[in-house]
Amino acid sequence: MMWQADIETMPRAQLEQLQLKRLQDTVARLRANSALYGERLKEVGEVKHLQDIEKIPFTVKDDFRNHYPTGLLAVDKREVVRYQGSSGTTGKPTIAGYTKKDLEIWADLVARVACAAGVTPEDTAQVCFGYGLFTGGFGLHYGLERLGAAVLPMSSGNTERQLMMMEDFGITVLIATPSYAQYLGEMAREAGVAGKLKLRVGLFGGEGCTAAMRQRIEQNLGIVATDNYGMCELTGPGISGECLERNGLHFAEDCFYVEVIDPDTGAVLPRGEQGELVVTTLMRDAQPVLRYRTRDITRLHYEQCACGRTHVRMEKVKGRSDDMLIIKGVNVFPSQIEGVLMGFDHIGAHYQLVLKTVGFIDTMEINVELLDGALLESFGELENLQRSLEARLHAVLGLSAKVKLVGPRTLERFTGKAKRVLDLRSTT
Ligand code: DLL
């Protein structure tokens, strides 16, 4: 099923022509209406080919901070009908403004990823993303309405009430971060309602999760879930999402131009190489963004997908370059650790990484929840499991980590994006 089949299956040559036209329009509008880009584009000549984009300087998060809250608008403020922001809870948020047309396009983009995940107008969806500045709640809400599904706007938190409504309404679609979906599944089983739920589809996003973790959540809740990516600086959710092939997230290339760069040198990498995702908006009126450095590490696949969509597929995000841990000089993404942990049967879905400095040396301890507390009674089995985990982690990461196995339900649960890393290392 496709929401805008003509666009989603557009032959690549035609798609690239459309991108060039839209890029040229965006650049022209920014030259005329944006103080920041007007200045930056002075040195950039004409954009005649898509590759000419490489002459344009990058936009970075600090540009949003320095022009907070509305300095990046390229339209008169009277044309703005909504503001959204980044999900962080401290400091000044990153702000995105939208015109009416921007909101229309955004709703269609979200309807596209929901449709690709198998959502239909017959469905009733429970949105467990926060409604507020965060783009997740309102973004999914209007996209699902656009598609014709019924929406229950529960927002995040109050898990018992979420489960009650899920059962009462016969909710079929769950919209949540994977960590909250995991928690909901756990609570549903505990409350004895898991068997009564009618869920069939999940749309996960706002944070990554490994394929192994997803499989566990799917089993708990009886759903098939797709991964959906987005960020406030570039609109919000709906910029890329998986189809049911689940073989990468299709990027909405009619509305965005994507590149992958070497995060250290800024050089554009050849197609298919892993690096930092850089995105240019092609259809935003209120706040167009040129070459935004997302900090997210991924890889792009240009071969056509079995679903028939032609838009480029982005691999699941491996991590953010600023979340990458450097431990004793070794680069580690938390997702690599999750991948190892989920390969063990007795291990639950909750873990926490604790980094400390002991006598000038970095150490990593991983608190890992067991699925079954009974294992804690058997010292021998516990020790065996701990040793196997440590050996596997060492083999995969090239680094020793101490594993501490803890009882079920002892680690913190999250209703939004999970915070699994506790970095207590001294910075001196
Ligand atoms: O998290 C937008 C969103 C909401 C996407 C709901 C999908 C569903 P921000 O709060 O601005 O926006 O955070 C953006 O979150 O740069 C990634 O690091 C991370 N992120 C978002 N989705 C994924 C994902 C929303 N599917 C930042 N996989 C991004 C991995 C993700 N990371």
Side-chain angles (χ1 to χ4, degrees):
M1 274 182 303
M2 288 186 209
W3 182 245
Q4 291 165 312
D6 49 338
I7 301 173
E8 294 176 66
T9 60
M10 192 180 275
R12 180 139 288 278
Q14 197 184 335
L15 188 60
E16 289 182 1
Q17 248 177 4
L18 183 70
Q19 287 186 310
L20 177 60
K21 163 86 181 60
R22 291 181 169 175
L23 176 63
Q24 288 166 333
D25 289 351
T26 301
V27 167
R29 260 186 319 109
L30 285 171
R31 281 192 206 274
N33 304 324
S34 157
L36 172 77
Y37 285 114
E39 198 52 44
R40 283 200 188 158
L41 289 166
K42 270 192 183 146
E43 305 293 306
V44 178
E46 222 185 314
V47 177
K48 288 193 190 139
H49 311 280
L50 276 175
Q51 285 67 28
D52 291 338
I53 200 170
E54 294 178 24
K55 295 187 278 187
I56 301 177
F58 294 117
T59 304
V60 294
K61 188 148 199 136
D62 269 347
D63 291 319
F64 282 79
R65 293 207 184 99
N66 297 339
H67 296 84
Y68 170 86
T70 53
L72 289 182
L73 290 179
V75 293
D76 190 285
K77 265 192 210 157
R78 280 172 300 185
E79 286 189 50
V80 175
V81 292
R82 172 106 63 85
Y83 292 106
Q84 300 275 176
S86 56
S87 46
T89 46
T90 53
K92 302 275 193 203
T94 304
I95 297 294
Y98 308 77
T99 62
K100 271 195 180 145
K101 186 172 147 227
D102 289 333
L103 290 183
E104 290 289 316
I105 293 174
W106 188 17
D108 273 321
L109 289 177
V110 173
R112 248 190 236 179
V113 296
C115 189
V119 180
T120 73
E122 312 290 310
D123 283 302
T124 308
Q126 187 156 329
V127 178
C128 309
F129 286 140
Y131 280 67
L133 267 189
F134 177 48
T135 51
F138 284 106
L140 264 298
H141 184 103
Y142 288 111
L144 289 160
E145 278 190 1
R146 170 65 51 93
L147 187 145
V151 183
L152 193 64
M154 288 300 287
S155 200
S156 58
N158 203 344
T159 305
E160 277 174 27
R161 198 169 173 76
Q162 298 265 9
L163 290 173
M164 178 186 85
M165 306 284 267
M166 207 176 278
E167 184 186 343
D168 294 349
F169 276 82
I171 294 291
T172 48
V173 175
L174 173 68
I175 312 289
T177 57
S179 30
Y180 193 42
Q182 166 65 36
Y183 183 31
L184 280 165
E186 209 172 72
M187 292 290 279
R189 259 185 301 141
E190 225 163 76
V193 298
K196 300 185 198 148
L197 300 180
K198 302 268 187 312
L199 290 175
R200 58 175 203 91
V201 173
L203 253 83
F204 293 170
E207 64 178 2
C209 88
T210 56
M213 174 76 94
R214 170 162 72 186
Q215 206 180 0
R216 287 183 178 211
I217 305 172
E218 287 181 323
Q219 277 165 2
N220 282 346
L221 287 166
I223 55 174
V224 172
T226 59
D227 187 3
N228 293 277
Y229 170 86
M231 64 195 329
C232 134
E233 294 88 323
L234 300 168
T235 300
I239 78 176
S240 76
E242 281 178 319
C243 62
L244 289 171
E245 297 293 322
R246 301 200 292 178
N247 192 13
L249 291 77
H250 290 281
F251 226 98
E253 280 190 282
D254 54 317
C255 294
F256 302 93
Y257 183 77
V258 279
E259 302 166 89
V260 169
I261 62 161
D262 177 327
D264 297 325
T265 65
V268 176
L269 293 173
R271 285 187 168 184
E273 281 194 25
Q274 177 176 291
E276 179 182 337
L277 183 75
V278 168
V279 184
T280 297
T281 68
L282 300 175
M283 282 297 277
R284 272 177 104 194
D285 279 349
Q287 202 173 303
V289 180
L290 299 179
R291 304 194 85 204
Y292 185 63
R293 287 193 62 161
T294 64
R295 300 273 161 206
D296 293 318
I297 303 296
T298 184
R299 190 192 299 277
L300 298 173
H301 294 281
Y302 285 83
E303 320 81 66
Q304 195 174 322
C305 179
C307 74
R309 288 177 182 81
T310 48
H311 294 202
V312 69
R313 282 167 296 133
M314 166 185 123
E315 263 180 24
K316 271 175 162 305
V317 173
K318 190 164 179 200
R320 288 181 64 76
S321 56
D322 33 13
D323 285 350
M324 185 183 76
L325 306 167
I326 304 178
I327 305 166
K328 291 188 216 163
V330 179
N331 297 348
V332 177
F333 281 107
S335 62
Q336 291 174 286
I337 296 175
E338 182 176 299
V340 171
L341 299 179
M342 293 306 111
F344 284 77
D345 288 343
H346 296 293
I347 297 302
H350 300 275
Y351 61 93
Q352 182 191 39
L353 315 179
V354 186
L355 307 176
K356 290 186 188 154
T357 313
V358 180
F360 302 108
I361 294 173
D362 293 343
T363 64
M364 173 162 62
E365 188 173 283
I366 311 180
N367 296 321
V368 185
E369 260 187 32
L370 291 164
L371 265 185
D372 180 359
L375 208 68
L376 289 169
E377 312 287 314
S378 162
F379 184 74
E381 274 185 70
L382 203 61
E383 206 179 48
N384 276 343
L385 179 57
Q386 181 187 331
R387 283 226 192 93
S388 328
L389 273 165
E390 287 175 351
R392 187 83 199 111
L393 284 163
H394 191 270
V396 172
L397 309 176
L399 185 80
S400 50
K402 180 153 179 37
V403 170
K404 192 169 146 204
L405 296 166
V406 299
R409 304 201 44 82
T410 46
L411 296 178
E412 188 183 352
R413 299 313 193 238
F414 300 94
T415 59
K417 303 190 187 202
K419 288 183 196 68
R420 301 196 201 275
V421 181
L422 191 61
D423 197 340
L424 305 173
R425 288 178 294 182
S426 54
T427 45
T428 48

